[in-house]
Amino acid sequence: MQKDRFDRTLSFLLGASWAVVFFGALIFFKSFLPLGLGIAIVITIFFIFIGLFLILGLDAFAVNRQKLLEAKKQTKLLEKIYSKHTT
């Protein structure tokens, strides 16, 4: 199945978001490590939580797109059945 531009862009953004979360967590941890191990871990977990929430939002776009495409298919099918039985 060939993906359209929206799906390719969304896939790219999801991959880039995972990379940002992973490397961002590493950078945050190393940046805040001089302030203490506990603070560095808490801030890193907070950063990961926010990043995963944004990834969840992007994934919601993909799921809603699939639901929309499926609803369009069902609508066409129902219109076809309706026109077959009304004539």
Side-chain angles (χ1 to χ4, degrees):
M1 185 169 106
Q2 193 173 18
K3 292 184 175 182
D4 62 347
R5 188 180 301 170
F6 179 80
D7 290 330
R8 286 184 300 200
T9 304
L10 195 59
S11 294
F12 172 76
L13 288 174
L14 278 170
S17 297
W18 277 108
V20 166
V21 167
F22 179 73
F23 291 115
L26 184 65
I27 291 170
F28 262 71
F29 181 75
K30 287 189 175 192
S31 296
F32 286 99
L33 192 56
L35 298 176
L37 183 63
I39 292 174
I41 290 174
V42 168
I43 291 175
T44 303
I45 289 173
F46 184 69
F47 175 79
I48 290 172
F49 178 74
I50 291 173
L52 291 177
F53 183 73
L54 294 175
I55 289 173
L56 184 63
L58 285 174
D59 196 36
F61 281 127
V63 169
N64 284 332
R65 169 84 171 175
Q66 291 296 328
K67 284 172 58 176
L68 175 66
L69 294 175
E70 189 63 32
K72 285 182 179 181
K73 287 179 190 176
Q74 290 176 3
T75 302
K76 284 182 183 179
L77 182 63
L78 287 172
E79 286 174 351
K80 190 176 181 181
I81 292 171
Y82 179 74
S83 66
K84 189 176 185 180
H85 287 298
T86 57
T87 57

